[in-house]
């Protein structure tokens, strides 16, 4: 059993970092702002804190480098876990947390966990599953408003997740 980090009773969790640019959505800082006054907390793995702080501009508290048991315990108050396509999103889903996964170069029907958000219409090159993009990752031009709407639609932001 893990120990939860000192977090608000209810919050939206963000997982903004990925070393792979083709899955790294750039809208997490704006999403946190759009969800105000709901508390948002960013999570990241060991060695990723500086990159996450650079992405978020210091606007969101960051919890970094938790063990898996501590990460699971810290998700107890999470209403929705918003993430790039990542192992952390799959882990959060396995913990019974509502997950909203942003898809760029990947496809929810193959690698998704929880609910998906992607462009309204896929580009000719999607999904490619590539680690680099010659076109500047237009697949990640997903509107912040679309993601915020899905976060709100997933459930009561004042309540927590339901355990399976």
């Amino acid at each position: 059993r893990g120990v939860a980090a000192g977090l608000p009773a209810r919050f939206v969790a963000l997982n903004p970092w990925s070393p792979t640019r083709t899955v790294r959505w750039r809208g997490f800082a704006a999403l946190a702002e759009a969800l105000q006054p709901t508390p948002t907390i960013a999570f990241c793995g060991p060695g990723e804190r500086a990159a996450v702080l650079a992405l978020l501009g210091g606007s969101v508290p960051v919890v970094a480098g938790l063990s898996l048991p501590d990460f699971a315990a810290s998700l107890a108050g999470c209403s929705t876990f918003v993430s790039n396509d990542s192992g952390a999103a799959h882990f959060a889903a396995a913990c019974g947390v509502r997950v909203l996964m942003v898809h760029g170069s990947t496809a929810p029907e193959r690698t998704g966990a929880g609910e998906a958000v992607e462009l309204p219409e896929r580009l000719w090159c999607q999904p490619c599953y590539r680690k680099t993009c010659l076109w500047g990752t237009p697949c990640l031009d997903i509107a912040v408003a679309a993601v915020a709407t899905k976060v709100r639609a997933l459930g009561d932001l004042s309540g927590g997740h339901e355990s399976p």
Side-chain angles (χ1 to χ4, degrees):
R1 297 190 183 264
V3 177
L7 300 172
R10 297 288 173 244
F11 61 92
V12 171
L14 307 178
N15 180 39
W17 178 250
S18 173
T20 306
R21 289 180 186 257
T22 56
V23 298
R24 193 184 323 142
W25 183 58
R26 299 169 293 275
F28 283 99
L31 176 64
E33 186 176 319
L35 293 175
Q36 290 300 318
T38 301
T40 55
I41 307 292
F43 287 89
C44 63
E48 298 173 344
R49 185 179 184 83
V52 169
L53 287 170
L55 286 173
L56 298 176
S59 62
V60 177
V62 176
V63 177
L66 297 175
S67 67
L68 288 179
D70 291 351
F71 183 33
S74 295
L75 292 175
C78 180
S79 62
T80 306
F81 189 85
V82 184
S83 181
N84 299 304
D85 189 345
S86 69
H90 290 272
F91 183 79
C95 290
V97 176
R98 291 181 195 114
V99 171
L100 178 60
M101 188 182 287
V102 180
H103 288 272
S105 65
T106 63
E109 63 271 11
R110 184 166 174 202
T111 63
E115 296 289 322
V117 64
E118 56 185 330
L119 290 174
E121 292 186 30
R122 287 190 180 162
L123 303 173
W124 65 272
C125 55
Q126 280 183 281
C128 70
Y129 300 98
R130 295 178 57 110
K131 302 293 183 193
T132 60
C133 178
L134 300 174
W135 299 279
T137 62
C139 58
L140 289 169
D141 290 341
I142 299 162
V144 170
V147 179
T149 297
K150 281 216 169 191
V151 170
R152 289 185 192 102
L154 280 177
D156 177 9
L157 292 181
S158 65
H161 70 277
E162 307 246 341
S163 297

